Amino acid sequence: MRIDATYFKRFCLLCYQDHEDGYTQLIRFSNGEHYEEIKEDLNNLIKLGVKIESITTDGHKSILKAIKKSLPDALAQRCLVHIQRMCLLWLTRFPRHLAGLELRRLVLQLLDIKTDNDRLHWTQQLRLWHERHKDYLQEKTYNPQTGRYWYTHKLLRRSYQTIKRALPNMFHYLNNPKIPHTTNGIEGFFSHLKNHLDLHRGLTFEHRVNFIKWYVYLSNEKPA
């Protein structure tokens, strides 16, 4: 299964979707991604008899917390595209320091990891990168006006810490080809939904919600 959310002007749409056939098991209209609501959704899916062995997600804290609570035995696969996208944003296209250039190069290789040997090589390179640049990551800048210190290279640190925290759940897909390593499928679904909705810009809030419900229902219909 894959879980993702997309935001509209007045609400957030959460979607719980099978990976293999793209069937949408459940949707929720809310004002954000909230732990209690996601936990309730997962519990309802379990009660309906939906078997969930893994969930691919962008790593939102509320989703990860809900998975851990409701499905402690399920694998939480992190979306590699999301990790890559965020790190490239923080590292910028042209990092000024060697540490940023090297980490950016590693991030660009993420989607090329297809085997355990690839994973071992990549994680070793990440470890060696950290050994080379750990002192640089720890550099701090002092603000004489506030009397406080902060990390000088905070975006570089954020990129590394994002990867480090996600690392235990980045490569489950290597042991099970049925586990998607990205949420691209559901993001494509959201994109098509919004394109269709844009054709009806004059709809009221209630009609927009009903349009989405019908769109999901019809998308789930399979030819006999």
Side-chain angles (χ1 to χ4, degrees), residues 134-200:
K134 59 184 178 181
D135 291 338
Y136 183 73
L137 287 173
Q138 294 298 323
E139 289 182 4
K140 293 184 179 181
T141 299
Y142 177 71
N143 186 333
Q145 295 181 341
T146 63
R148 294 182 178 181
Y149 289 88
W150 68 88
Y151 287 107
T152 306
H153 315 291
K154 60 181 181 179
L155 293 180
L156 180 64
R157 281 181 57 86
R158 184 183 299 174
S159 300
Y160 173 69
Q161 292 297 332
T162 294
I163 296 171
K164 182 181 177 181
R165 285 192 294 267
L167 200 55
N169 292 309
M170 283 173 58
F171 302 113
H172 293 307
Y173 69 94
L174 293 176
N175 298 317
N176 185 346
K178 292 185 177 181
I179 297 177
H181 62 288
T182 77
T183 57
N184 283 359
I186 201 167
E187 289 183 7
F189 175 80
F190 287 149
S191 178
H192 289 142
L193 166 61
K194 289 184 175 181
N195 287 339
H196 281 81
L197 199 54
D198 282 344
L199 298 175
H200 307 278

Side-chain angles (χ1 to χ4, degrees), residues 86-99:
M86 297 311 298
C87 288
L88 291 178
L89 176 66
W90 296 326
L91 292 169
T92 73
R93 190 174 180 182
F94 301 105
R96 296 181 179 181
H97 189 271
L98 180 62

Side-chain angles (χ1 to χ4, degrees), residues 21-24 189 213-224:
D21 58 7
Y23 187 89
T24 301
F189 175 80
K213 291 178 180 178
W214 273 106
Y215 183 88
V216 171
Y217 171 77
L218 293 173
S219 295
N220 280 344
E221 289 293 291
K222 302 295 181 182

Side-chain angles (χ1 to χ4, degrees), residues 106-118:
L106 282 172
V107 168
L108 287 171
Q109 296 170 5
L110 264 179
L111 299 181
D112 296 325
I113 299 174
K114 308 295 185 184
T115 67
D116 266 330
N117 284 337
D118 293 340

